[in-house]
């Protein structure tokens, strides 16, 4: 996925209730949201007031986005009203994407935002470590070796010392979890429970945090689907299906909405109603059989001097009236003042923030800072319109508006009249040396198992802070309050209505290649045309564009002079690239030099309805394949599934690719195609395909070639895909270096037009294959065999069958990962899959 473009996807729009809950949970800044915080209604204000009286916290620990028990998070945050967070070891980069073509770290960006969207609904906060999701792992030994255990353990210890939870909840145990990442998350959590309390462990952290011992660590015993409740003696029980009148929902209903934010994983969930008991086993710390918080003081008495806060909050409760919440403001101001006098700590800081937000809600105070453009580049400027609106009878004085905080104020002190916006216009000058708004964990090349961070203690953060914030300082009664509002861009979508996105700092120019991969077949040294599109940002700029190539390769011309005289210009230029003899696999990069700096990134805009717009700046690179690659397929039809880059790879092999709709498959003369390829999960995501499969098999019988890439296992699916039955299993080979044995050396799939050898399986990334066929009808021929260490051979990764005059192939080998990575052997083997064995 390259270039400056948006990836619109039509996913289920958020329900009005989700907006209501998002408003309520704005009191809990679990996740940055570009939308200004809405003013809460009376029920939300009452729930926020109740939460202020509860002084405690809980931390859930898991491995991935979607591992969390959203019902438990909802109950903790809204039922027990404790500060709650989910610590995910990874951002889910190694998963699969059901809604688009993003993979790897781009998928990790989406899944991060899906977690944050879920937290905005269930009321918890979101935290991470620096661990990289490198794909499925079958055991914790492998996982902890790749993650470098001590590195990630340090992240978990930091998160515990920073958050200071009273109770830690693990989703898995060191022995139970299936996935090696799952069990590793429990191993790390249990070791960190003790290490966080030990000043001798990771002492370099103690200049910013202090040792912390949670009261206990418990395992949330599995209860999936319709499983019966656990009744093991000695385990604490919680009814997560309890109904909350202020929410108007049960916690399991809220959990269904929250979990359904994991749309890239196809994790839409039901909103369960009725009793749903979960049990908890104490694994470390003090025992508990009745309540997760046994022995924990959840009142203000736990903090020296907290009694004054409790009294002020009691006054606020007596003053509460749903029709006039502003009557609580004097008491809330006293509570805020009393909190500021308490010893500093995470709970006090959190309660101060919650109190400020409650004061804001009771005053009906709307604050916004809207940029005239969604992007701005270093050396440029953007105008920001600010507004403060008091929608209550309360006396509110706007003392100042500053961008950034501490800058000269754009306004003088003034009383805010009822429902009359106080507006100002400010200007942000972006320093020439300012860095683009790249997600902080993507600013450097990652290690094999973790992200390289400039500040390792930042690993817990879910995302970048806003590029700019506007600080509104207001006075309500005798209390001065500062509110930091992210500078955002607002527009109206004709379908979705009013939308917001963060103001993003972008490079003054970005580049994208016409193709992600270029194949230079051996023998010969024929030059290929390589086109690069250069996109300007928000101002004029002039410079030179060059290609950085491997040694022995050359480009003509050596450079193109580019001049943009105004904003938002772009141009496409061509280079003739002549290959060298080596290497077989390499990368070329586009570099634009101007104003004493070199820019070498592209701009990727990720836009789905269920999460805020994200902008990422990967390197402006394309893969180079220099090998003996022959492909005799000239016309290939492609049945897109959940999204992948295989069509681009086919074009790089010289094939003409036609994307086939359901209507095309029903009506088109398919005999024009040398091969038809079904994309990953096509049969999971396109319901009509199963009904159209007889027509595809008829195409095969008449001499066609059908290649089906993996689908996930569903009852009866494999039996209907091919000319003979097979079952799509969950078998996989996760070690990308696992030896692959060619079981039939003279088979057409490994001899024509490219003779496949052991070297063709070198350099594969992440894994070998997933969802292998097993069992399969004996009329299928198997060509390759491989296995993970200590396991038996799996032969169902590549099935071949003659059917009539044509060929059917099913493959679980992960070409969708290897082809975009520019793996030469994957190109050679995939060319064999699509190439006719004899021209028809």
């Amino acid at each position: 996925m390259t270039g400056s473009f948006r990836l619109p996807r039509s996913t289920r729009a958020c329900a009005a209730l989700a907006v209501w809950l998002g408003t309520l949970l704005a009191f809990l800044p679990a996740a940055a949201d570009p939308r200004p915080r809405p003013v809460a209604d009376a029920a939300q204000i009452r729930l926020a007031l109740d939460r202020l009286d509860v002084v405690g916290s809980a931390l859930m620990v898991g491995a991935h986005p979607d591992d969390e028990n959203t019902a438990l998070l909802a109950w903790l945050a809204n039922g027990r009203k404790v500060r709650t967070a989910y610590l995910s070891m990874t951002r889910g980069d190694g998963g699969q994407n059901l809604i688009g073509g993003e993979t790897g770290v781009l998928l990790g960006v989406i899944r991060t935002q899906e977690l944050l969207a879920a937290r905005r609904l269930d009321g918890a906060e979101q935290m991470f470590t620096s661990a990289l999701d490198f794909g499925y792992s079958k055991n914790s030994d492998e996982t902890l070796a790749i993650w470098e255990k001590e590195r990630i353990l340090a992240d978990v210890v930091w998160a515990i010392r920073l958050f200071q939870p009273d109770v830690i909840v693990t989703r898995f145990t060191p022995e139970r979890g299936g996935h090696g990442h799952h069990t590793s998350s429990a191993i790390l959590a249990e070791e960190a429970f003790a290490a966080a309390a030990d000043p001798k462990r990771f002492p370099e952290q103690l200049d910013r945090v202090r040792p912390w011992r949670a009261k206990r660590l418990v395992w949330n015993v599995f209860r999936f689907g319709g499983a019966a409740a656990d009744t093991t003696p000695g385990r604490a029980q919680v009814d997560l299906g309890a109904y909350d009148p202020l929410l108007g929902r049960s916690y399991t209903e809220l959990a269904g909405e929250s979990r359904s934010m994991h749309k890239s994983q196809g994790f839409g969930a039901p909103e369960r109603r009725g009793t749903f008991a979960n049990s908890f086993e104490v694994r470390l710390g003090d025992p508990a059989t009745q309540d997760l918080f046994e022995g924990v003081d959840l009142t203000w008495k736990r903090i020296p001097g907290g009694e004054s806060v409790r009294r002020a909050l009691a006054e606020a409760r007596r003053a509460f009236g749903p029709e006039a919440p502003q009557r609580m403001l004097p008491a809330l101001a006293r509570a805020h003042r009393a909190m500021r006098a308490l010893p500093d700590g995470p709970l006090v800081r959190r309660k101060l923030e919650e109190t400020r937000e409650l004061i804001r809600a009771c005053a009906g105070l709307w604050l916004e800072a809207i940029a005239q453009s969604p992007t701005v580049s270093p050396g440029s400027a953007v105008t920001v319109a600010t507004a403060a609106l008091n929608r209550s009878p309360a006396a509110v004085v706007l003392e100042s508006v500053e961008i950034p905080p501490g800058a000269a104020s754009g306004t003088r002190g003034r009383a805010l009249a009822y429902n009359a916006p106080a507006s100002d216009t400010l200007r942000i000058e972006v320093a020439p040396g300012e860095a683009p708004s790249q997600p902080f964990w993507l600013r450097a090349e990652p290690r094999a198992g973790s992200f390289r961070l400039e500040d390792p203690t930042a690993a817990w953060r879910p995302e970048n802070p806003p590029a700019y914030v506007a600080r509104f300082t207001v006075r309500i009664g005798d209390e001065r309050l500062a509110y930091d509002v992210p500078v955002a861009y607002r527009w109206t979508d004709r379908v979705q209505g009013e939308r917001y996105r963060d103001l993003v700092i972008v490079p003054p120019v970005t580049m994208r290649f016409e193709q992600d991969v270029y194949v230079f077949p051996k023998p010969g040294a024929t030059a290929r045309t390589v086109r690069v599109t250069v996109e300007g940002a928000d101002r004029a700029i002039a410079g030179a564009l060059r290609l950085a190539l491997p040694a022995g390769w050359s480009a003509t011309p050596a450079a193109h002079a580019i001049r943009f005289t105004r904003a938002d210009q772009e141009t496409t230029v061509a280079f003739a690239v002549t290959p060298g003899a080596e290497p077989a696999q390499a990368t070329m990069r586009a570099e634009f030099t101007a104003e004493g700096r070199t820019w070498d990134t592209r701009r990727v805009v990720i836009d789905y309805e269920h999460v805020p717009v994200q902008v990422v700046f990967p390197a402006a690179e394309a893969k180079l394949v220099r090998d003996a690659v022959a492909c005799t397929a000239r016309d290939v039809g492609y049945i897109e599934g959940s999204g992948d880059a295989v069509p681009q790879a086919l074009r790089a092999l010289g094939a003409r690719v036609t994307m086939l709709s359901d209507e095309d498959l029903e009506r088109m003369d398919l005999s024009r195609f040398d091969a038809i390829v079904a994309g990953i999960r096509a049969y999971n995501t396109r319901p009509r395909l199963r009904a159209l499969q007889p027509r595809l098999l008829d195409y095969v019988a008449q001499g066609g070639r059908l290649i089906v890439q993996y689908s996930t296992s569903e009852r009866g699916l494999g039996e209907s895909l091919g000319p003979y039955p097979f079952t799509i299993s969950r078998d996989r080979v996760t070690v990308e270096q696992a030896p692959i044995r060619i079981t039939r050396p003279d088979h057409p799939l490994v001899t024509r037009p490219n003779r496949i050898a052991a070297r063709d399986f070198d350099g594969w990334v992440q894994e070998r294959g997933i969802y292998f066929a097993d069992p399969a009808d004996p009329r299928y021929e198997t060509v390759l065999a491989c296995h993970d260490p200590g396991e038996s051979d799996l032969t169902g990764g590549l099935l071949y069958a003659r059917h009539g005059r044509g060929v059917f192939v099913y493959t679980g080998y992960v070409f969708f990962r290897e082809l975009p990575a520019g793996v030469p052997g994957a190109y050679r083997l995939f060319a064999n899959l699509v190439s006719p064995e004899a021209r028809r």
Side-chain angles (χ1 to χ4, degrees), residues 86-97:
Y86 173 51
L87 174 63
S88 177
M89 295 292 123
T90 76
R91 296 175 183 269
D93 323 82
Q96 299 155 41
N97 187 356

Side-chain angles (χ1 to χ4, degrees), residues 657-671:
V657 179
T658 301
M659 306 302 287
L660 297 175
S661 67
D662 292 347
E663 290 72 23
D664 293 332
L665 292 172
E666 188 173 23
R667 301 171 185 171
M668 183 182 285
D669 178 8
L670 301 179
S671 65

Side-chain angles (χ1 to χ4, degrees), residues 484-545:
D484 287 344
V485 177
V487 176
Y489 174 73
R490 178 172 59 207
W491 78 104
T492 302
D493 184 282
R494 293 182 65 183
V495 175
Q496 299 179 54
E498 187 170 271
R499 296 189 66 191
Y500 292 84
R501 56 182 286 188
D502 291 320
L503 174 65
V504 173
I505 301 173
V506 302
V509 289
T510 51
M511 291 75 66
R512 69 176 188 270
F513 285 93
E514 184 180 42
Q515 298 174 206
D516 291 336
V517 180
Y518 292 84
V519 177
F520 292 82
K522 284 183 175 180
T526 304
R528 285 202 59 180
T529 298
V530 172
R531 293 182 176 86
V532 181
T533 297
V534 183
E535 302 168 299
D538 55 356
R539 61 184 176 87
I541 193 168
L545 175 69

